[in-house]
Amino acid sequence: MKRAKLADIAAAAEVTVPTVSKVLNGRSDVSEQTRARVWEMLAAAGYERRGPAGPAGGAVGLVDLVMDGVEGSWATRVLGGAEQAAAEAGCDVVVLSAREVRAGRDWVDRLVSRGSAGAVLALVDPAPAERERLAAAGVALVALDPGVEPSSGLPSVGATNWAGGYAAVHHLTRLGHTRIAALGGREDQINSRARLDGYRSALAAANIRARNSLIRYTDWSNAGGVRQATALLRQRDRPTAVFACSDHLARAVYRVAADLGLDIPGDLSVVGFDDLPEARWLTPDMTTVHQPVREMAAEAVRLLLRLRDGELGGAERVELSTSLVVRNSTAPPRRP
């Protein structure tokens, strides 16, 4: 007989799905009467009372969050959103760094050996061999802001990157800029490509030709951002505005502009992407595209829990809306 979904159990017990999850996870904030009713429905559907191990041997009360690194405000927002959604479902979050190798074991080994039932991968793109190992171990996966096209069957959560890039550059063209440069991340990553596609579309809508000399790619690092921003701003016919595909890269533009004696926004307008707290601390405070990172992380955890509970019918892509936040780093270009 097909195993009932938690939504069916909740409906039969006349409670919510989070309440059923709380009962399964042993949470104390459920009345004894409700707990007994839920267990009655669970037993009728073939669920058995278990200890800390879940149906696949993994801890049902834990959500694994695998991150490329845990430093910086982007990571802090991801942690906050993941913890909020996990707490709502009666779970705790365990963080693994994909950069670390402990006792000769990588993050995949650690997930598998610990019996993880599922993980959110934040800016971590597993290789095909890693996907196979995780699938063989029954580890459910959800990708958060994946850099590469998610593999078949892998749910993912991201932002409206194309729309964000379009909004940023449309703002600059309306101010009168025509020499608008773009500083993107890795050329093979879908989030960077989508933002730059939005950049090109906004230029085309303003009847401005996109010039390859004004488009640069880097590895998202500060050193790479400084190197490519220097190449852009040292051109004889330098741009009057730069759209950077992350606030981190935009900060590199600020640094190079200061080194070259360029005033922001008098000589150079700058727009970033992310709307991290640092964007407000810069002088001048930076116009940027707000990406709802905390909400994206929370949605990724909710997708993972649905996937783990058998309530997700396959690959699902969720995109949360971006929005332009105008501050003081953009202005009309100075007339020659």
Side-chain angles (χ1 to χ4, degrees):
M1 184 175 67
K2 185 177 179 181
R3 192 178 182 87
K5 296 181 179 180
L6 291 197
D8 300 326
I9 302 298
E14 298 182 339
V15 298
T16 64
V17 171
T19 298
V20 177
S21 294
K22 288 179 181 181
V23 172
L24 283 170
N25 294 328
R27 285 277 297 269
S28 60
D29 52 342
V30 179
S31 71
E32 287 303 318
Q33 182 179 4
T34 299
R35 188 186 307 277
R37 186 166 71 253
V38 170
W39 271 121
E40 181 181 353
M41 297 301 108
L42 287 168
Y47 283 81
E48 298 178 2
R49 293 177 182 262
R50 299 176 181 266
V60 298
L62 296 178
V63 172
D64 282 291
L65 176 62
V66 183
M67 307 182 72
D68 184 51
V70 294
E71 69 279 356
S73 52
W74 191 92
T76 300
R77 289 190 171 188
V78 169
L79 286 169
E83 192 280 331
Q84 175 188 348
E88 290 172 355
C91 301
D92 293 316
V93 176
V94 177
V95 180
L96 287 82
S97 173
R99 296 180 187 172
E100 297 179 8
V101 177
R102 299 179 182 175
R105 296 189 306 163
D106 61 14
W107 64 273
V108 175
D109 286 332
R110 280 144 54 203
L111 278 180
V112 172
S113 64
R114 198 161 52 76
S116 172
V120 170
L121 309 181
L123 289 180
V124 173
D125 301 310
E130 294 174 326
R131 281 290 311 276
E132 291 176 6
R133 289 162 58 195
L134 291 165
V139 181
L141 299 175
V142 171
L144 172 61
D145 199 13
V148 299
E149 196 69 37
S151 303
S152 175
L154 181 60
S156 64
V157 178
T160 52
N161 289 303
W162 181 92
Y166 185 97
V169 179
H170 178 66
H171 168 67
L172 293 171
T173 61
R174 291 196 64 179
L175 288 173
H177 292 276
T178 57
R179 295 197 307 279
I180 303 171
L183 182 56
R186 283 173 32 199
E187 194 169 359
D188 63 333
Q189 290 187 310
I190 58 173
N191 45 12
S192 180
R193 289 205 314 266
R195 293 169 195 178
L196 290 178
D197 284 345
Y199 158 85
R200 294 185 180 92
S201 295
L203 290 181
N207 294 315
I208 301 171
R209 180 174 60 88
R211 291 187 282 177
N212 290 334
S213 62
L214 292 181
I215 303 174
R216 299 284 173 143
Y217 298 91
T218 183
D219 58 0
W220 302 104
S221 70
N222 181 69
V226 168
R227 183 171 57 253
Q228 296 299 346
T230 300
L232 285 170
L233 298 183
R234 283 191 179 277
Q235 294 184 39
R236 178 173 298 179
D237 190 20
R238 65 166 180 80
T240 62
V242 176
F243 164 54
C245 285
S246 76
D247 286 351
H248 190 62
L249 294 179
R251 289 169 62 192
V253 176
Y254 266 64
R255 174 180 166 182
V256 173
D259 291 344
L260 297 177
L262 298 176
D263 174 71
I264 297 175
D267 300 314
L268 182 72
S269 286
V270 180
V271 182
F273 198 111
D274 283 328
D275 193 24
L276 299 177
E278 296 92 313
R280 299 190 297 275
W281 303 341
L282 294 169
T283 303
D285 52 343
M286 187 168 65
T287 297
T288 186
V289 176
H290 176 75
Q291 181 176 210
V293 176
R294 184 183 179 94
E295 292 81 0
M296 288 160 55
E299 184 60 29
V301 168
R302 295 185 188 106
L303 274 184
L304 177 64
L305 294 174
R306 289 170 55 201
L307 179 65
R308 200 174 67 178
D309 291 339
E311 298 176 14
L312 199 61
E316 183 172 327
R317 169 69 176 175
V318 177
E319 289 192 346
L320 302 187
S321 296
T322 55
S323 58
L324 183 68
V325 181
V326 178
R327 297 193 179 103
N328 294 307
S329 66
T330 51
R334 285 179 177 168
R335 298 303 174 189

